[in-house]
Amino acid sequence: MRARITGVATYLPERTLTSAEVERRIEGYVPYRGVVERLTGIRSRHVARDDQQASDLAAEAARKLDHADADLLIFASASQDLVEPATAHIVAAKLGLSCPVFDVKNACNSMLNGIQIAEALILSGAHREVLVCSGEVPSRAIRWRVRDRAQFVDSFAGYTLSDTGAAVLVTADLERGIFYRDFSADSTAWAIGTLPGGGSAHPRDPEYSYFRGDGRRLKEAFERIGPDIFLNALKRTGLSWDDFAVVAVHQVALPYLRFLARVLDIPEEKLVVSLPEHGNCASTTLPLQLALGGWEPGDRVALLGLGGGISTGVMLAEM
């Protein structure tokens, strides 16, 4: 028995903001015009309506899939509607599902870990069809009033973020499916990128409701972990990137994507570069690239995840 990805769908809010519009909206300090697009390669990102929550974006994506037979729903996202209850309950109610549900949270690797758990539960025999979905609304955590250069740098990662929804259907299959997965973490680096508010550390202070991060230190932390987790996937399976129709890589800035592709020697034609038109979509980035990519049933795909905390993950699958 294997667990196969049998459906992928995304929801992209119609409203968009260009990087130039983002800079015009920032009050206070901006070092120079064009800084966001120059440093990230992002031209545009999606913004949810004020009346849309993370659960709405996930449900919109899930409605595009035939999920009627799902016997488990996993909401796997960095965003959430409420601290309690699990956002999965809200998504299930909106979809009219009565199956068991729970949330998974691991920053931008949330969806990848959700698929990992879905596979494990299918292989154990506990479930046969799992709907893994995400709704990311990080635009609510962007700091628009900036005091000085230091605060601009601390808030910069927020200006890359995009509101999006995604859903992946994982189904028991006797012939093909996920055939390799590996995950790692360096949790000593957890404080490099945070959204501190809403938990027990800072339950009510509005100052902690903004995303904060140091892109340079985050890049250095991923470099310390190194590329072995991704290269070992090829060594252990005897495959090369040429054996895959799509190599989906989490994308936060074009310079870092190019750096990673060069280090891993990924052919350019295997990548789906979603970042310029869609921004940093957090946990929905990998399913978005699958939805945009040119693969056929039976093709192999590779999912390469990078998430705050920090964590890395790789998953190889026959679609």
Side-chain angles (χ1 to χ4, degrees):
M1 182 66 68
R2 283 186 174 179
R4 182 163 67 93
I5 297 173
T6 56
V8 181
T10 58
Y11 172 71
L12 305 175
E14 293 182 4
R15 183 189 173 198
T16 60
L17 275 180
T18 67
S19 290
E21 289 171 329
V22 166
E23 290 175 9
R24 286 196 294 269
R25 185 171 172 182
I26 298 170
E27 299 178 15
Y29 180 89
V30 176
Y32 60 87
R33 293 303 173 186
V35 60
V36 174
E37 184 170 346
R38 179 180 175 185
L39 294 183
T40 68
I42 297 171
R43 292 188 290 268
S44 179
R45 75 276 293 136
H46 301 274
V47 182
R49 300 191 312 269
D50 290 344
D51 64 345
Q52 287 182 310
Q53 309 303 324
S55 60
D56 292 308
L57 275 57
E60 289 285 359
R63 289 188 183 104
K64 299 178 182 180
L65 300 177
D66 183 9
H67 60 264
D69 294 328
D71 56 7
L72 174 67
L73 184 149
I74 300 174
F75 180 78
S77 179
S79 301
Q80 59 190 22
D81 282 14
L82 311 168
V83 173
E84 186 73 19
T87 303
H89 286 290
I90 305 173
V91 178
K94 290 176 178 178
L95 294 175
L97 292 175
S98 57
C99 59
V101 305
F102 58 82
D103 284 5
V104 169
K105 179 183 288 293
N106 189 20
C108 295
N109 272 340
S110 297
M111 276 292 284
L112 196 61
N113 289 129
I115 298 170
Q116 174 197 15
I117 294 168
E119 182 204 17
L121 291 172
I122 286 172
L123 296 183
S124 75
H127 295 278
R128 291 193 58 81
E129 185 166 292
V130 182
L131 177 62
V132 186
C133 55
S134 174
E136 295 287 12
V137 195
S139 66
R140 309 281 164 84
I142 296 173
R143 184 188 292 276
W144 295 111
R145 294 183 179 179
V146 178
R147 180 179 58 250
D148 52 25
R149 183 182 185 279
Q151 192 170 63
F152 178 84
V153 171
D154 192 49
S155 307
F156 185 80
Y159 306 132
T160 73
L161 296 171
S162 184
D163 298 344
T164 47
V168 173
L169 201 60
V170 186
T171 307
D173 194 291
L174 293 174
E175 297 181 359
R176 62 183 188 268
I178 299 164
F179 61 90
Y180 183 90
R181 84 292 303 147
D182 193 15
F183 296 86
S184 67
D186 176 8
S187 299
T188 62
W190 71 266
I192 294 175
T194 62
L195 179 52
S200 60
H202 306 286
R204 297 175 187 87
D205 191 336
E207 180 61 26
Y208 292 100
S209 64
Y210 303 108
F211 187 85
R212 307 165 64 181
D214 186 325
R216 179 183 55 81
R217 290 178 59 207
L218 195 61
K219 179 176 180 289
E220 291 172 352
F222 282 119
E223 288 174 352
R224 283 197 302 272
I225 290 182
D228 286 352
I229 187 173
F230 305 122
L231 297 175
N232 286 340
L234 300 180
K235 293 176 183 178
R236 292 168 182 169
T237 58
L239 299 172
S240 74
W241 299 125
D242 289 330
D243 294 311
F244 295 86
V246 172
V247 180
V249 183
H250 183 62
Q251 299 173 20
V252 297
L254 278 186
Y256 188 70
L257 175 63
R258 295 188 183 111
F259 167 79
L260 189 62
R262 184 170 63 252
V263 169
L264 299 179
D265 199 24
I266 303 173
E268 184 176 349
E269 65 271 16
K270 300 296 181 179
L271 296 172
V272 180
V273 184
S274 58
L275 191 71
E277 301 305 321
H278 302 290
N280 176 358
C281 299
S283 73
T284 68
T285 300
L286 298 181
L288 172 62
Q289 291 174 44
L290 285 186
L292 296 174
W295 55 270
E296 301 289 340
D299 283 347
R300 297 189 188 99
V301 300
L303 307 177
L304 280 55
L306 306 162
I310 64 174
S311 65
T312 58
V314 56
M315 183 173 287
L316 309 179
E318 293 175 340
M319 300 295 281

